[in-house]
Each structure stands twice: as C-alpha cells, then as structure tokens.
C-alpha cells in the first residue's frame, strides 16, 4: 500500500511554516529531521506529569520516570535486534558514543596498533580516534573511494595486518549517500580478529538495522536524525566487550559503591551512564520508534528511493550541475555544485524562496579535500518530503542560478 504522505505531513506542524511568503521546503534532513506531534506531545506530557530524577528516588514520580526510560531501552533493543538491554547505552548522540568507544575500548589498544577508517567519515568518526593518538602510538589508515563514491573494498581488505586493532566506518555517507556493504566489511574484519564500530547516524532513519545479523561489535546513532528529540543517542555494544571496558566518565548513576579508598562500578548498561540523563527525551524516543514502525521502515525507504531517483533526474536537467556520489546503493541524500557558484551563495538565495538545504563541508573535510572542493549544497530527504518539493527546489535553483552565474 502507498504511503499517504499528506496525512504524514499533518503530523509535522513545522511543515506548515512559511519562510517569508514561501512555504517551507525542508531538505536538511541529513543534519536533523523534524519531529512529529506525537513525540512532541510525549515530551510535554513527560515534563507535565513525570519529571523526576531516574534510578534515584523511591517516590512514585521517580519510579515512573525510571520505568519510562527503561521502556525506551527495551524499545531500542527491539528496534535494532540487540540481544539484551545491557547492550544499549544512552549517550548524547553519535558523537559521544564514538568518543566513548574510542576512549574506553581504545584504552586496550597496543602501542603500534592500527585503526582503519574511510575517507568518507564524518569528523565524529575521525577526531575521537585522533585524540587517542595523543596517548598512544597508533596509526590511522584510510580506505579510498572510486569515482562513484563507493569504497575501494580491495584496498580495505589489503589494509589488515597483525597490528590492526579496530575498523570504524559509516553505514551511510552523510555527503555521498553511499550505502556501504557493512555486513561484508564486518565479516572481513572479523576474519582478521578485528572489532568493528559502525557509525549508523545516516542509516538508522532510513534502513532496518539488525545488529545481530550485521554482527557488528559497536553500532551508534542519534535520535535527532530519526524524527526524535535532540541531545540523545545510542551506543550498542556487544555485552562481552562492554563488560571488559573501563568507564568513560565517572560520577553518579555509574557506581556501585564509592569510598575514598576504593570505588566499584555499576553493572551494564549504567556503568557508562554517569550523571543525570536526559530521561524526558529518552522516554519520548520510544514514541519516536513507535512512530517509525507505524509507517514501516521498508515503506519509508521505498518512498525516499523514489524521491532520490526523481530529484537526481530533475537536478541533472540543470546545465552545469554536478552530483557528488553516484553509488549503485545510495540513500536519499544528494550533494551537488553548479558551475563555479559557491554553495553558500546558492543555499542563501534559495532559502529566500523557502528551500532549506545544507551547504558547506558537512563535517567531512577530508572527503572534500579528496574530491578537490571546499563544500557542496546538500539536499537530504525524509518520509514527509514530496515530488512537488523536489520541483520547488528545481524552480528555486533555476531562478537563482542566472543571478549568480
Ligand atoms: N556520523 C555521521 C555519518 C553523521 O552524519 C553525523 C551527523 O551529521 C554524525 C556522525 C554526528 O552526529 P551527532 O552530531 O548527532 O552526534
């Protein structure tokens, strides 16, 4: 059955906004997607009815808030098919989750160890590994791409050796849209005894994730890209690895007993959740996963694929327009440039016509350098976007390009 996009759009009040006199066409979903009323209502209702600190109080509100937070943990477990809630750690987002793994799991890396990354990584999956290099003698090796923006898998395979201690790569590129063959890449790493972190920030809103099937050691993602609240994310880690890892941060919630002589830590998952979490938003995140499931990720993916095909076709009608990223398996994000027009100029002018796109390096400066450009304009699609919004983007570009050429 086809999705009723107009009905879905009704769930997102922000889509009724105008920018000046133009209706908002929101195409910056790769950065953050919009949040449906059902999730916003849940946040308000949590603040109005159950705001109390979790895991600390014997009183009713605290117990209810704790139950809501732990319900979300179970809901996330189910959503990504993890084996246990002990494997689900709440973080502030993908960035914090990767920092946690780099800092805590990276603690065990031997001097002389090698980490395999790819040229298409977001800074969040580069800099935390570089920070580790301040304390350890580690080498970072980088997998290149071909002209379509697909990873060079032969090179990837050739990078493993006895010193390789980690491979970390994105499931989907936030610039090129490339969907990487992560299952095969994980199997290859495991054949060399190397653990793998998958940055799922751009996959989780669009593709069904099954961490057991992927057999990844760590999988990370952010709620705000999944129609959910800002400031929360998830680290999935295999229990046997998380058990052995030292805490990332110290403080309340993550201890079993504290004295000035000796402190013992809480069990999983709380060992990695120091301090008061954003339990109000965590609780609402469950609503968000329910919302996605009520539509169906397969249907969301099919709708976005249609938008990707249509938008690619229409964009390529524009003389001088170049698309960066033409992978055979691609998610609904399109990065492009027109002639030698600066992406900021294009982005700013079409914003005046109501079109919200992303411009710049998209936190992927090494990739920009590899492509020999400073940045791109990026349109990223979500379930509520329509073909007529693609037409509005094309009309806006056709209006402003002559002014900038
Ligand atoms: N990884 C990828 C592939 C991303 O696209 C992003 C955000 O755009 C991040 C990591 C960082 O996510 P967050 O800012 O939610 O921590």
């Amino acid at each position: 059955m086809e999705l009723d996009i107009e009905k879905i759009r009704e769930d997102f009040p922000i889509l009724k906004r105008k920018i000046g006199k133009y209706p908002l066409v929101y195409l910056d979903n790769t950065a953050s997607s919009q949040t449906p009323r059902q999730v916003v209502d849940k946040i308000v209702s949590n603040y109005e009815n159950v705001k109390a600190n979790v895991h600390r109080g014997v009183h009713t509100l605290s117990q209810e808030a704790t139950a809501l937070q732990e319900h979300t943990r179970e809901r996330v477990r189910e959503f990504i098919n993890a084996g246990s809630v002990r494997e689900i750690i709440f973080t502030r987002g993908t960035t914090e989750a990767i920092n946690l793994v780099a800092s805590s799991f990276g603690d065990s890396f031997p001097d002389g160890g090698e980490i395999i990354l790819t040229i298409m990584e977001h800074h969040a999956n580069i800099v935390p590994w570089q920070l580790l290099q301040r304390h350890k003698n580690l080498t970072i090796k980088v997998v290149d791409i071909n002209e379509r923006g697909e990873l060079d898998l032969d090179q990837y395979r050739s990078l493993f050796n006895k010193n390789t201690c980690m491979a970390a790569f994105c499931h989907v590129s936030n610039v090129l849209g490339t969907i990487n063959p992560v299952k095969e890449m994980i199997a290859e790493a495991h054949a060399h005894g190397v653990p793998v972190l998958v940055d799922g920030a751009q996959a989780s809103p669009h593709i069904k994730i099954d961490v057991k099937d992927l057999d990844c050691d760590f999988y990370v993602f952010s709620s705000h890209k999944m129609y959910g609240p800002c400031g929360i994310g998830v680290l999935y880690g295999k229990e046997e690895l998380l058990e052995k890892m030292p805490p990332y941060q110290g403080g309340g919630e993550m201890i079993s007993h504290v004295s000035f002589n000796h402190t013992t830590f809480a069990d999983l998952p709380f060992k990695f959740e120091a301090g008061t979490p954003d339990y109000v938003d965590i609780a609402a995140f469950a609503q968000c996963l329910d919302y996605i499931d009520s539509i169906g990720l397969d249907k969301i993916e099919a709708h976005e694929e249609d938008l990707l095909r249509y938008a690619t076709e229409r964009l390529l009608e524009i003389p001088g327009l170049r698309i960066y990223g033409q992978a055979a398996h691609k998610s609904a994000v399109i990065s492009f440039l027109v002639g030698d027009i600066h992406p900021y100029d294009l982005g700013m002018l079409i914003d005046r016509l109501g079109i919200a796109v992303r411009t710049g390096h998209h936190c992927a400066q090494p990739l920009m350098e590899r492509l020999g450009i400073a940045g791109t304009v990026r349109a990223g699609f979500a379930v509520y976007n329509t073909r007529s919004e693609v037409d509005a983007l094309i009309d806006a570009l056709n209006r402003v390009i002559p002014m900038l050429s």
Side-chain angles (χ1 to χ4, degrees):
M1 209 182 61
E2 290 261 308
L3 286 181
D4 184 347
I5 302 298
E6 285 314 315
K7 185 159 171 289
I8 289 173
R9 287 177 70 83
E10 288 293 314
D11 292 334
F12 295 82
I14 203 167
L15 299 178
K16 294 203 167 62
R17 259 204 72 168
K18 293 217 155 140
I19 304 297
K21 61 180 178 157
Y22 295 94
L24 168 68
V25 173
Y26 187 78
L27 301 177
D28 192 17
N29 297 290
T30 317
S32 270
S33 52
Q34 299 299 344
T35 300
R37 191 194 307 270
Q38 291 86 331
V39 178
V40 177
D41 286 351
K42 187 71 183 168
I43 295 170
V44 173
S45 142
N46 287 342
Y47 270 114
E48 287 180 348
N49 296 297
V50 279
K51 184 167 183 244
N53 212 313
V54 286
H55 289 295
R56 290 192 189 177
V58 292
H59 61 83
T60 303
L61 288 192
S62 175
Q63 306 235 337
E64 286 179 5
T66 305
L68 282 172
Q69 170 170 299
E70 295 312 310
H71 166 70
T72 301
R73 205 186 298 277
E74 167 55 23
R75 194 63 190 83
V76 171
R77 184 207 65 72
E78 190 188 13
F79 194 78
I80 62 169
N81 195 29
S84 158
V85 286
R86 293 162 61 81
E87 301 182 313
I88 307 297
I89 317 286
F90 291 122
T91 65
R92 285 193 299 122
T94 302
T95 303
E96 188 178 51
I98 300 176
N99 274 279
L100 190 163
V101 175
S103 164
S104 170
F105 190 62
D107 200 44
S108 65
F109 293 171
D111 246 18
E114 297 182 1
I115 300 168
I116 299 178
L117 304 179
T118 86
I119 192 70
M120 63 170 77
E121 297 313 310
H122 187 281
H123 297 162
N125 197 26
I126 300 174
V127 185
W129 305 107
Q130 288 176 329
L131 293 181
L132 250 189
Q133 290 178 307
R134 290 185 307 186
H135 315 293
K136 284 176 189 265
N137 171 24
L138 296 170
T139 304
I140 292 177
K141 293 188 162 177
V142 183
V143 185
D144 199 10
I145 46 171
N146 63 21
E147 68 290 345
R148 291 186 303 279
E150 294 158 332
L151 288 176
D152 179 344
L153 294 176
D154 288 334
Q155 187 203 10
Y156 171 68
R157 283 188 273 274
S158 75
L159 293 181
F160 288 91
N161 62 44
K162 64 178 177 16
N163 296 321
T164 313
C165 51
M166 187 82 201
F169 39 77
C170 58
H171 197 158
V172 174
S173 160
N174 68 319
V175 176
L176 306 166
T178 311
I179 303 175
N180 289 320
V182 286
K183 191 171 171 184
E184 290 77 359
M185 292 172 74
I186 293 163
E188 178 71 25
H190 286 174
H192 296 274
V194 174
V196 176
L197 176 141
V198 180
D199 172 353
Q202 295 300 341
S204 53
H206 311 286
I207 300 174
K208 174 77 191 137
I209 308 300
D210 182 332
V211 291
K212 273 196 208 143
D213 180 55
L214 290 177
D215 196 27
C216 50
D217 300 280
F218 302 101
Y219 197 97
V220 296
F221 53 97
S222 299
S223 145
H224 68 98
K225 296 182 194 289
M226 302 174 71
Y227 312 107
C230 300
I232 62 165
V234 171
L235 161 63
Y236 157 81
K238 281 186 180 163
E239 189 170 344
E240 66 264 27
L241 298 180
L242 293 173
E243 277 295 359
K244 290 193 203 118
M245 286 161 53
Y248 170 54
Q249 292 180 329
E253 302 269 356
M254 54 75 71
I255 53 86
S256 167
H257 177 79
V258 177
S259 78
F260 279 107
N261 295 327
H262 184 60
T263 290
T264 52
F265 305 120
D267 283 338
L268 290 175
F270 309 109
K271 179 172 87 173
F272 292 109
E273 294 181 354
T276 301
D278 184 352
Y279 50 86
V280 168
D281 285 320
I282 289 173
F285 188 42
Q287 209 73 22
C288 169
L289 300 182
D290 291 348
Y291 185 80
I292 291 175
D293 278 348
S294 72
I295 300 173
L297 262 172
D298 49 342
K299 290 192 183 139
I300 294 177
E301 208 181 341
H303 173 65
E304 290 173 349
E305 262 172 26
D306 174 67
L307 291 175
L308 173 67
R309 263 194 308 273
Y310 182 65
T312 303
E313 251 171 59
R314 294 247 32 218
L315 281 166
L316 289 174
E317 288 166 8
I318 296 176
L321 187 143
R322 305 181 298 285
I323 291 180
Y324 292 85
Q326 305 260 23
H329 291 109
K330 188 174 167 180
S331 178
V333 45
I334 307 181
S335 280
F336 61 92
L337 286 173
V338 183
D340 55 7
I341 301 175
H342 198 286
Y344 286 125
D345 294 338
L346 262 185
M348 265 167 50
L349 283 193
I350 63 174
D351 174 60
R352 306 263 160 82
L353 302 171
I355 318 284
V357 288
R358 193 62 155 199
T359 56
H361 55 63
H362 316 300
C363 298
Q365 282 179 329
L367 176 61
M368 294 299 140
E369 204 174 303
R370 165 68 178 80
L371 297 171
I373 53 179
T376 70
V377 179
R378 183 182 70 186
F381 299 94
V383 66
Y384 42 68
N385 290 126
T386 62
R387 281 185 171 221
S388 59
E389 288 185 313
V390 172
D391 294 338
L393 167 69
I394 305 296
D395 289 348
L397 288 170
N398 281 330
R399 263 180 80 176
V400 307
I401 288 168
M403 297 179 209
L404 294 165
S405 297

